[in-house]
Amino acid sequence: TGLGIRLIYAIGQQDARIITDGVLGFLIFLILALLMYYLGQWGGGDSKLLMALGALIGVDFTLHGTMIAFLFNLLLVGGTLGLLWCCALALRNKKTFLAAYRPLWSHPHFILTRRISYAITTIILLITIFLPDLLLKLALTTVALALLFTVHTTIFIKAVEQCCMFKRITPSALTEGDWIAEDVLVGKKCILSHKTLGVTREQIAQLVALHRHGKLKTVLIKIGIPFVPSFLLAFIATKLWGNLLLALTS
């Protein structure tokens, strides 16, 4: 649809750049979508939606342009919604969340990470005391606080993932595209690897058949965070305010 609309406008305006901008936008967003999909961060639907938005928005490499503004806004809105979603999951599953969070908080790796972040933050804040430039002070303070926030948020999200984002279901409850979180074994034979990027209809049918014959009880899947609302909100924000990052920093 995006490319079709652009083609109609390109013919009507007699401007080939209208369609070429859409094709280039699609190709750039295609690369980003495939990257996120094969890293296991997005499902197939999220990736396809990003490709479509690339065709609609088109290519534009300026900071104030729609494409760059949308990508910045998507990072900001997606990160915020993702964090809010994790908070909701943690509150809904408070006991299991705390049971997962405490071991992570006291894990030697995270203890070392926290101590390093505290030391770096302290050094940065001490440096800001002797700086005369107010803007530089604010910038360094923001970096220091962002470092602390990132470290603590990483532990929090890891705990949420362990306690709330894995679920055992029967094969008949699987839907196409579900992420398998552990190898599906029948005896010593691996029927389906956890590295599979979304289960297919044929694989679901095979698992259902194994379940029907009593050879498989359940499978472990990973539940992702719904990302589609982030696309919508980022697109609306782009149309209303442009690049939110530039708006906030200015």
Side-chain angles (χ1 to χ4, degrees), residues 48-81:
K48 292 169 189 172
L49 183 56
L50 186 67
M51 298 175 203
L53 285 167
L56 286 163
I57 292 171
V59 67
D60 192 335
F61 294 114
T62 63
L63 282 177
H64 293 280
T66 304
M67 185 183 77
I68 299 297
F70 173 76
L71 290 175
F72 274 122
N73 294 346
L74 185 60
L75 287 173
L76 184 63
V77 173
T80 302
L81 285 183

PDB file of all heavy atoms in Angstrom, residues 48-81:
ATOM      1  N   LYS A  48       7.661  -6.950   9.909  1.00  0.00           N
ATOM      2  CA  LYS A  48       6.932  -6.610   8.680  1.00  0.00           C
ATOM      3  C   LYS A  48       6.314  -5.216   8.782  1.00  0.00           C
ATOM      4  O   LYS A  48       6.282  -4.464   7.798  1.00  0.00           O
ATOM      5  CB  LYS A  48       5.844  -7.654   8.415  1.00  0.00           C
ATOM      6  CG  LYS A  48       6.394  -9.026   8.054  1.00  0.00           C
ATOM      7  CD  LYS A  48       5.280 -10.064   8.064  1.00  0.00           C
ATOM      8  CE  LYS A  48       5.851 -11.464   7.913  1.00  0.00           C
ATOM      9  NZ  LYS A  48       4.814 -12.505   8.101  1.00  0.00           N
ATOM     10  N   LEU A  49       5.834  -4.876   9.964  1.00  0.00           N
ATOM     11  CA  LEU A  49       5.233  -3.560  10.149  1.00  0.00           C
ATOM     12  C   LEU A  49       6.274  -2.457   9.971  1.00  0.00           C
ATOM     13  O   LEU A  49       5.988  -1.406   9.378  1.00  0.00           O
ATOM     14  CB  LEU A  49       4.594  -3.464  11.542  1.00  0.00           C
ATOM     15  CG  LEU A  49       3.854  -2.168  11.874  1.00  0.00           C
ATOM     16  CD1 LEU A  49       2.776  -1.870  10.853  1.00  0.00           C
ATOM     17  CD2 LEU A  49       3.248  -2.247  13.264  1.00  0.00           C
ATOM     18  N   LEU A  50       7.497  -2.689  10.477  1.00  0.00           N
ATOM     19  CA  LEU A  50       8.551  -1.698  10.307  1.00  0.00           C
ATOM     20  C   LEU A  50       8.898  -1.525   8.825  1.00  0.00           C
ATOM     21  O   LEU A  50       9.113  -0.410   8.354  1.00  0.00           O
ATOM     22  CB  LEU A  50       9.799  -2.102  11.089  1.00  0.00           C
ATOM     23  CG  LEU A  50      10.916  -1.053  11.093  1.00  0.00           C
ATOM     24  CD1 LEU A  50      10.483   0.193  11.864  1.00  0.00           C
ATOM     25  CD2 LEU A  50      12.202  -1.615  11.685  1.00  0.00           C
ATOM     26  N   MET A  51       8.939  -2.639   8.075  1.00  0.00           N
ATOM     27  CA  MET A  51       9.204  -2.551   6.627  1.00  0.00           C
ATOM     28  C   MET A  51       8.142  -1.692   5.939  1.00  0.00           C
ATOM     29  O   MET A  51       8.451  -0.843   5.090  1.00  0.00           O
ATOM     30  CB  MET A  51       9.194  -3.951   6.007  1.00  0.00           C
ATOM     31  CG  MET A  51      10.250  -4.889   6.523  1.00  0.00           C
ATOM     32  SD  MET A  51       9.993  -6.532   5.805  1.00  0.00           S
ATOM     33  CE  MET A  51      10.823  -7.564   7.011  1.00  0.00           C
ATOM     34  N   ALA A  52       6.884  -1.914   6.302  1.00  0.00           N
ATOM     35  CA  ALA A  52       5.783  -1.155   5.695  1.00  0.00           C
ATOM     36  C   ALA A  52       5.902   0.333   6.013  1.00  0.00           C
ATOM     37  O   ALA A  52       5.684   1.189   5.151  1.00  0.00           O
ATOM     38  CB  ALA A  52       4.442  -1.699   6.189  1.00  0.00           C
ATOM     39  N   LEU A  53       6.270   0.638   7.260  1.00  0.00           N
ATOM     40  CA  LEU A  53       6.439   2.041   7.644  1.00  0.00           C
ATOM     41  C   LEU A  53       7.582   2.685   6.869  1.00  0.00           C
ATOM     42  O   LEU A  53       7.534   3.881   6.547  1.00  0.00           O
ATOM     43  CB  LEU A  53       6.691   2.138   9.152  1.00  0.00           C
ATOM     44  CG  LEU A  53       5.458   1.932  10.031  1.00  0.00           C
ATOM     45  CD1 LEU A  53       5.853   1.735  11.482  1.00  0.00           C
ATOM     46  CD2 LEU A  53       4.515   3.117   9.905  1.00  0.00           C
ATOM     47  N   GLY A  54       8.615   1.897   6.554  1.00  0.00           N
ATOM     48  CA  GLY A  54       9.717   2.416   5.750  1.00  0.00           C
ATOM     49  C   GLY A  54       9.245   2.855   4.376  1.00  0.00           C
ATOM     50  O   GLY A  54       9.664   3.899   3.862  1.00  0.00           O
ATOM     51  N   ALA A  55       8.340   2.039   3.788  1.00  0.00           N
ATOM     52  CA  ALA A  55       7.792   2.394   2.473  1.00  0.00           C
ATOM     53  C   ALA A  55       6.913   3.640   2.558  1.00  0.00           C
ATOM     54  O   ALA A  55       6.920   4.479   1.660  1.00  0.00           O
ATOM     55  CB  ALA A  55       6.995   1.217   1.920  1.00  0.00           C
ATOM     56  N   LEU A  56       6.152   3.771   3.632  1.00  0.00           N
ATOM     57  CA  LEU A  56       5.254   4.917   3.792  1.00  0.00           C
ATOM     58  C   LEU A  56       6.023   6.202   4.096  1.00  0.00           C
ATOM     59  O   LEU A  56       5.758   7.253   3.518  1.00  0.00           O
ATOM     60  CB  LEU A  56       4.253   4.642   4.920  1.00  0.00           C
ATOM     61  CG  LEU A  56       3.135   3.646   4.610  1.00  0.00           C
ATOM     62  CD1 LEU A  56       2.488   3.167   5.902  1.00  0.00           C
ATOM     63  CD2 LEU A  56       2.091   4.293   3.713  1.00  0.00           C
ATOM     64  N   ILE A  57       6.985   6.112   5.019  1.00  0.00           N
ATOM     65  CA  ILE A  57       7.721   7.301   5.466  1.00  0.00           C
ATOM     66  C   ILE A  57       8.726   7.748   4.415  1.00  0.00           C
ATOM     67  O   ILE A  57       8.881   8.935   4.140  1.00  0.00           O
ATOM     68  CB  ILE A  57       8.427   7.015   6.812  1.00  0.00           C
ATOM     69  CG1 ILE A  57       7.381   6.829   7.919  1.00  0.00           C
ATOM     70  CG2 ILE A  57       9.380   8.150   7.174  1.00  0.00           C
ATOM     71  CD1 ILE A  57       7.957   6.336   9.230  1.00  0.00           C
ATOM     72  N   GLY A  58       9.425   6.776   3.826  1.00  0.00           N
ATOM     73  CA  GLY A  58      10.427   7.118   2.822  1.00  0.00           C
ATOM     74  C   GLY A  58      11.767   7.466   3.436  1.00  0.00           C
ATOM     75  O   GLY A  58      11.923   7.549   4.652  1.00  0.00           O
ATOM     76  N   VAL A  59      12.743   7.661   2.583  1.00  0.00           N
ATOM     77  CA  VAL A  59      14.112   7.903   3.037  1.00  0.00           C
ATOM     78  C   VAL A  59      14.329   9.394   3.306  1.00  0.00           C
ATOM     79  O   VAL A  59      13.828  10.247   2.583  1.00  0.00           O
ATOM     80  CB  VAL A  59      15.133   7.374   2.003  1.00  0.00           C
ATOM     81  CG1 VAL A  59      15.063   8.190   0.722  1.00  0.00           C
ATOM     82  CG2 VAL A  59      16.542   7.389   2.570  1.00  0.00           C
ATOM     83  N   ASP A  60      15.066   9.681   4.390  1.00  0.00           N
ATOM     84  CA  ASP A  60      15.387  11.064   4.745  1.00  0.00           C
ATOM     85  C   ASP A  60      16.470  11.001   5.814  1.00  0.00           C
ATOM     86  O   ASP A  60      16.223  10.491   6.910  1.00  0.00           O
ATOM     87  CB  ASP A  60      14.157  11.789   5.279  1.00  0.00           C
ATOM     88  CG  ASP A  60      14.383  13.289   5.378  1.00  0.00           C
ATOM     89  OD1 ASP A  60      15.556  13.684   5.509  1.00  0.00           O
ATOM     90  OD2 ASP A  60      13.413  14.055   5.308  1.00  0.00           O
ATOM     91  N   PHE A  61      17.664  11.500   5.511  1.00  0.00           N
ATOM     92  CA  PHE A  61      18.796  11.327   6.419  1.00  0.00           C
ATOM     93  C   PHE A  61      19.073  12.548   7.291  1.00  0.00           C
ATOM     94  O   PHE A  61      20.066  12.568   8.006  1.00  0.00           O
ATOM     95  CB  PHE A  61      20.059  10.973   5.621  1.00  0.00           C
ATOM     96  CG  PHE A  61      19.983   9.624   4.951  1.00  0.00           C
ATOM     97  CD1 PHE A  61      19.970   9.530   3.567  1.00  0.00           C
ATOM     98  CD2 PHE A  61      19.907   8.471   5.701  1.00  0.00           C
ATOM     99  CE1 PHE A  61      19.902   8.292   2.950  1.00  0.00           C
ATOM    100  CE2 PHE A  61      19.832   7.224   5.092  1.00  0.00           C
ATOM    101  CZ  PHE A  61      19.835   7.130   3.713  1.00  0.00           C
ATOM    102  N   THR A  62      18.232  13.572   7.252  1.00  0.00           N
ATOM    103  CA  THR A  62      18.457  14.749   8.097  1.00  0.00           C
ATOM    104  C   THR A  62      17.860  14.508   9.476  1.00  0.00           C
ATOM    105  O   THR A  62      16.886  13.766   9.633  1.00  0.00           O
ATOM    106  CB  THR A  62      17.808  15.996   7.474  1.00  0.00           C
ATOM    107  OG1 THR A  62      16.385  15.808   7.409  1.00  0.00           O
ATOM    108  CG2 THR A  62      18.345  16.235   6.076  1.00  0.00           C
ATOM    109  N   LEU A  63      18.443  15.160  10.490  1.00  0.00           N
ATOM    110  CA  LEU A  63      17.976  14.972  11.871  1.00  0.00           C
ATOM    111  C   LEU A  63      16.528  15.409  12.042  1.00  0.00           C
ATOM    112  O   LEU A  63      15.799  14.887  12.873  1.00  0.00           O
ATOM    113  CB  LEU A  63      18.876  15.747  12.837  1.00  0.00           C
ATOM    114  CG  LEU A  63      20.230  15.115  13.183  1.00  0.00           C
ATOM    115  CD1 LEU A  63      21.022  16.030  14.086  1.00  0.00           C
ATOM    116  CD2 LEU A  63      20.049  13.748  13.845  1.00  0.00           C
ATOM    117  N   HIS A  64      16.104  16.404  11.270  1.00  0.00           N
ATOM    118  CA  HIS A  64      14.741  16.899  11.363  1.00  0.00           C
ATOM    119  C   HIS A  64      13.804  16.157  10.405  1.00  0.00           C
ATOM    120  O   HIS A  64      12.603  16.427  10.384  1.00  0.00           O
ATOM    121  CB  HIS A  64      14.702  18.400  11.072  1.00  0.00           C
ATOM    122  CG  HIS A  64      15.396  19.233  12.114  1.00  0.00           C
ATOM    123  ND1 HIS A  64      14.800  19.569  13.317  1.00  0.00           N
ATOM    124  CD2 HIS A  64      16.641  19.771  12.137  1.00  0.00           C
ATOM    125  CE1 HIS A  64      15.646  20.296  14.028  1.00  0.00           C
ATOM    126  NE2 HIS A  64      16.774  20.433  13.341  1.00  0.00           N
ATOM    127  N   GLY A  65      14.364  15.251   9.601  1.00  0.00           N
ATOM    128  CA  GLY A  65      13.550  14.501   8.649  1.00  0.00           C
ATOM    129  C   GLY A  65      12.682  13.458   9.328  1.00  0.00           C
ATOM    130  O   GLY A  65      12.963  13.019  10.451  1.00  0.00           O
ATOM    131  N   THR A  66      11.627  13.039   8.647  1.00  0.00           N
ATOM    132  CA  THR A  66      10.651  12.124   9.240  1.00  0.00           C
ATOM    133  C   THR A  66      11.259  10.776   9.585  1.00  0.00           C
ATOM    134  O   THR A  66      10.975  10.205  10.648  1.00  0.00           O
ATOM    135  CB  THR A  66       9.461  11.926   8.283  1.00  0.00           C
ATOM    136  OG1 THR A  66       8.898  13.197   7.978  1.00  0.00           O
ATOM    137  CG2 THR A  66       8.384  11.058   8.918  1.00  0.00           C
ATOM    138  N   MET A  67      12.115  10.226   8.726  1.00  0.00           N
ATOM    139  CA  MET A  67      12.653   8.886   8.947  1.00  0.00           C
ATOM    140  C   MET A  67      13.520   8.818  10.203  1.00  0.00           C
ATOM    141  O   MET A  67      13.306   7.973  11.075  1.00  0.00           O
ATOM    142  CB  MET A  67      13.467   8.418   7.736  1.00  0.00           C
ATOM    143  CG  MET A  67      13.945   6.976   7.861  1.00  0.00           C
ATOM    144  SD  MET A  67      14.990   6.428   6.487  1.00  0.00           S
ATOM    145  CE  MET A  67      16.530   7.226   6.911  1.00  0.00           C
ATOM    146  N   ILE A  68      14.504   9.729  10.310  1.00  0.00           N
ATOM    147  CA  ILE A  68      15.389   9.743  11.477  1.00  0.00           C
ATOM    148  C   ILE A  68      14.595  10.075  12.734  1.00  0.00           C
ATOM    149  O   ILE A  68      14.795   9.477  13.797  1.00  0.00           O
ATOM    150  CB  ILE A  68      16.534  10.757  11.276  1.00  0.00           C
ATOM    151  CG1 ILE A  68      17.384  10.376  10.066  1.00  0.00           C
ATOM    152  CG2 ILE A  68      17.400  10.829  12.521  1.00  0.00           C
ATOM    153  CD1 ILE A  68      18.090   9.047  10.177  1.00  0.00           C
ATOM    154  N   ALA A  69      13.667  11.033  12.624  1.00  0.00           N
ATOM    155  CA  ALA A  69      12.835  11.408  13.775  1.00  0.00           C
ATOM    156  C   ALA A  69      12.021  10.212  14.262  1.00  0.00           C
ATOM    157  O   ALA A  69      11.919   9.963  15.463  1.00  0.00           O
ATOM    158  CB  ALA A  69      11.910  12.564  13.394  1.00  0.00           C
ATOM    159  N   PHE A  70      11.442   9.470  13.319  1.00  0.00           N
ATOM    160  CA  PHE A  70      10.647   8.300  13.688  1.00  0.00           C
ATOM    161  C   PHE A  70      11.491   7.252  14.403  1.00  0.00           C
ATOM    162  O   PHE A  70      11.057   6.672  15.402  1.00  0.00           O
ATOM    163  CB  PHE A  70       9.992   7.684  12.449  1.00  0.00           C
ATOM    164  CG  PHE A  70       9.295   6.378  12.729  1.00  0.00           C
ATOM    165  CD1 PHE A  70       8.062   6.355  13.369  1.00  0.00           C
ATOM    166  CD2 PHE A  70       9.879   5.165  12.367  1.00  0.00           C
ATOM    167  CE1 PHE A  70       7.431   5.148  13.642  1.00  0.00           C
ATOM    168  CE2 PHE A  70       9.258   3.965  12.632  1.00  0.00           C
ATOM    169  CZ  PHE A  70       8.022   3.953  13.271  1.00  0.00           C
ATOM    170  N   LEU A  71      12.699   7.001  13.909  1.00  0.00           N
ATOM    171  CA  LEU A  71      13.564   5.993  14.539  1.00  0.00           C
ATOM    172  C   LEU A  71      13.961   6.409  15.955  1.00  0.00           C
ATOM    173  O   LEU A  71      13.949   5.591  16.882  1.00  0.00           O
ATOM    174  CB  LEU A  71      14.804   5.753  13.678  1.00  0.00           C
ATOM    175  CG  LEU A  71      14.565   5.030  12.351  1.00  0.00           C
ATOM    176  CD1 LEU A  71      15.845   4.967  11.533  1.00  0.00           C
ATOM    177  CD2 LEU A  71      14.025   3.619  12.602  1.00  0.00           C
ATOM    178  N   PHE A  72      14.314   7.690  16.140  1.00  0.00           N
ATOM    179  CA  PHE A  72      14.627   8.182  17.489  1.00  0.00           C
ATOM    180  C   PHE A  72      13.404   8.060  18.408  1.00  0.00           C
ATOM    181  O   PHE A  72      13.513   7.620  19.560  1.00  0.00           O
ATOM    182  CB  PHE A  72      15.082   9.647  17.430  1.00  0.00           C
ATOM    183  CG  PHE A  72      16.549   9.817  17.166  1.00  0.00           C
ATOM    184  CD1 PHE A  72      16.986  10.533  16.067  1.00  0.00           C
ATOM    185  CD2 PHE A  72      17.506   9.270  18.012  1.00  0.00           C
ATOM    186  CE1 PHE A  72      18.340  10.693  15.808  1.00  0.00           C
ATOM    187  CE2 PHE A  72      18.850   9.425  17.764  1.00  0.00           C
ATOM    188  CZ  PHE A  72      19.277  10.138  16.660  1.00  0.00           C
ATOM    189  N   ASN A  73      12.254   8.455  17.890  1.00  0.00           N
ATOM    190  CA  ASN A  73      11.021   8.387  18.685  1.00  0.00           C
ATOM    191  C   ASN A  73      10.658   6.942  19.022  1.00  0.00           C
ATOM    192  O   ASN A  73      10.141   6.659  20.103  1.00  0.00           O
ATOM    193  CB  ASN A  73       9.871   9.055  17.929  1.00  0.00           C
ATOM    194  CG  ASN A  73      10.079  10.542  17.773  1.00  0.00           C
ATOM    195  OD1 ASN A  73      10.939  11.129  18.431  1.00  0.00           O
ATOM    196  ND2 ASN A  73       9.319  11.165  16.896  1.00  0.00           N
ATOM    197  N   LEU A  74      10.907   6.039  18.080  1.00  0.00           N
ATOM    198  CA  LEU A  74      10.615   4.622  18.321  1.00  0.00           C
ATOM    199  C   LEU A  74      11.470   4.074  19.455  1.00  0.00           C
ATOM    200  O   LEU A  74      10.981   3.312  20.297  1.00  0.00           O
ATOM    201  CB  LEU A  74      10.848   3.819  17.035  1.00  0.00           C
ATOM    202  CG  LEU A  74      10.469   2.337  17.079  1.00  0.00           C
ATOM    203  CD1 LEU A  74       8.984   2.170  17.380  1.00  0.00           C
ATOM    204  CD2 LEU A  74      10.824   1.661  15.763  1.00  0.00           C
ATOM    205  N   LEU A  75      12.744   4.458  19.490  1.00  0.00           N
ATOM    206  CA  LEU A  75      13.618   4.036  20.580  1.00  0.00           C
ATOM    207  C   LEU A  75      13.120   4.569  21.923  1.00  0.00           C
ATOM    208  O   LEU A  75      13.071   3.841  22.923  1.00  0.00           O
ATOM    209  CB  LEU A  75      15.049   4.521  20.330  1.00  0.00           C
ATOM    210  CG  LEU A  75      15.849   3.800  19.243  1.00  0.00           C
ATOM    211  CD1 LEU A  75      17.167   4.510  18.996  1.00  0.00           C
ATOM    212  CD2 LEU A  75      16.100   2.351  19.630  1.00  0.00           C
ATOM    213  N   LEU A  76      12.754   5.848  21.929  1.00  0.00           N
ATOM    214  CA  LEU A  76      12.302   6.490  23.171  1.00  0.00           C
ATOM    215  C   LEU A  76      10.973   5.919  23.642  1.00  0.00           C
ATOM    216  O   LEU A  76      10.834   5.500  24.799  1.00  0.00           O
ATOM    217  CB  LEU A  76      12.197   8.000  22.949  1.00  0.00           C
ATOM    218  CG  LEU A  76      11.821   8.843  24.173  1.00  0.00           C
ATOM    219  CD1 LEU A  76      12.883   8.716  25.245  1.00  0.00           C
ATOM    220  CD2 LEU A  76      11.649  10.310  23.778  1.00  0.00           C
ATOM    221  N   VAL A  77       9.994   5.876  22.742  1.00  0.00           N
ATOM    222  CA  VAL A  77       8.659   5.386  23.104  1.00  0.00           C
ATOM    223  C   VAL A  77       8.691   3.880  23.395  1.00  0.00           C
ATOM    224  O   VAL A  77       8.098   3.416  24.366  1.00  0.00           O
ATOM    225  CB  VAL A  77       7.650   5.688  21.968  1.00  0.00           C
ATOM    226  CG1 VAL A  77       6.307   5.037  22.265  1.00  0.00           C
ATOM    227  CG2 VAL A  77       7.478   7.185  21.796  1.00  0.00           C
ATOM    228  N   GLY A  78       9.412   3.135  22.547  1.00  0.00           N
ATOM    229  CA  GLY A  78       9.499   1.684  22.750  1.00  0.00           C
ATOM    230  C   GLY A  78      10.156   1.320  24.060  1.00  0.00           C
ATOM    231  O   GLY A  78       9.693   0.425  24.776  1.00  0.00           O
ATOM    232  N   GLY A  79      11.241   2.026  24.387  1.00  0.00           N
ATOM    233  CA  GLY A  79      11.913   1.770  25.658  1.00  0.00           C
ATOM    234  C   GLY A  79      11.029   2.088  26.853  1.00  0.00           C
ATOM    235  O   GLY A  79      10.983   1.341  27.835  1.00  0.00           O
ATOM    236  N   THR A  80      10.297   3.209  26.762  1.00  0.00           N
ATOM    237  CA  THR A  80       9.409   3.607  27.862  1.00  0.00           C
ATOM    238  C   THR A  80       8.264   2.616  28.043  1.00  0.00           C
ATOM    239  O   THR A  80       7.984   2.177  29.166  1.00  0.00           O
ATOM    240  CB  THR A  80       8.833   5.012  27.587  1.00  0.00           C
ATOM    241  OG1 THR A  80       9.910   5.939  27.425  1.00  0.00           O
ATOM    242  CG2 THR A  80       7.945   5.462  28.735  1.00  0.00           C
ATOM    243  N   LEU A  81       7.599   2.254  26.935  1.00  0.00           N
ATOM    244  CA  LEU A  81       6.495   1.299  27.029  1.00  0.00           C
ATOM    245  C   LEU A  81       6.973  -0.067  27.492  1.00  0.00           C
ATOM    246  O   LEU A  81       6.300  -0.749  28.264  1.00  0.00           O
ATOM    247  CB  LEU A  81       5.796   1.178  25.680  1.00  0.00           C
ATOM    248  CG  LEU A  81       4.881   2.328  25.262  1.00  0.00           C
ATOM    249  CD1 LEU A  81       4.213   2.016  23.931  1.00  0.00           C
ATOM    250  CD2 LEU A  81       3.809   2.590  26.321  1.00  0.00           C
TER     251      LEU A  81
END
